[in-house]
Amino acid sequence: MPPLANRGRRLVARIIDAILIGVPVSVIMTLIVGGVNYFSTSSVEAGKQSTVSGVTMLAYLIYEGLMLAKRGQTVGKMAMKIRVAMLANGSIPTAQSAWIRAAVYTLPEIVPCCGFIFWLVNVLWCTWDKPYRQCLHDKAAKTVVVSTETAPAGGMPPTV
């Protein structure tokens, strides 16, 4: 099994993926539903907010599920030289594990108020989890995030 991925690299990979999905979806949805005022409480604006959030969440779920099932990496993970691996043997996640991981990461936000709290606990879980630094979505899918960097010629793994 390769060494576990650094938490900072995991965070930057998520940011890259969020930008990669969020920007195009926002542009497309703005063209479809018009501008969205996230500070308004009117029912029309609330409907627009829900639509844009739902489409963005669905796009991210599909992106993450497909990328992890196919190669164990999203574009952000490729850029940060990390990948998702099955805990049991280090292989690319099975399709079932990839989709479970993507769903547990993405879908709880559907639940008003409590969904965000679960999401926050989920992503922070790896900061205290021992020994595999798993978030809850990793535990549900039986996966870990590992480094794809190869060791330098001296045989020592790179320090992060």
Side-chain angles (χ1 to χ4, degrees):
M1 177 81 73
L4 295 173
N6 173 287
R7 291 177 198 99
R9 287 180 184 259
R10 290 180 71 165
L11 174 62
V12 173
R14 282 286 184 193
I15 292 169
I16 292 168
D17 290 332
I19 291 169
L20 213 83
I21 296 301
V23 170
V25 169
S26 294
V27 169
I28 292 167
M29 291 307 295
T30 297
L31 294 172
I32 294 171
V33 301
V36 178
N37 180 353
Y38 286 97
F39 298 105
S40 174
T41 57
S42 79
S43 61
V44 171
E45 288 300 316
K48 288 181 180 180
Q49 293 167 11
S50 295
T51 301
V52 172
S53 294
V55 169
T56 303
M57 203 178 316
L58 180 62
Y60 196 89
L61 172 70
I62 292 168
Y63 164 75
E64 175 116 348
L66 289 175
M67 293 292 286
L68 295 183
K70 183 172 176 88
R71 56 182 303 142
Q73 293 175 296
T74 60
V75 173
K77 287 176 178 56
M78 287 181 229
M80 298 312 300
K81 298 182 175 155
I82 61 176
R83 73 175 177 88
V84 177
M86 293 301 297
L87 179 60
N89 60 14
S91 66
I92 290 174
T94 63
Q96 180 179 5
S97 289
W99 286 101
I100 287 171
R101 188 178 192 278
V104 172
Y105 177 79
T106 308
L107 296 180
E109 289 189 68
I110 292 172
V111 179
C113 184
C114 300
F116 175 75
I117 293 168
F118 175 83
W119 177 85
L120 187 60
V121 169
N122 174 21
V123 298
L124 290 175
W125 199 269
C126 69
T127 61
W128 59 77
D129 184 69
K130 302 285 185 215
Y132 300 114
R133 297 187 209 147
Q134 293 172 293
C135 292
L136 295 178
H137 55 273
D138 289 309
K139 289 189 177 294
K142 298 180 177 78
T143 59
V144 290
V145 182
V146 297
S147 176
T148 61
E149 289 184 315
T150 56
M156 295 296 294
T159 57
V160 181

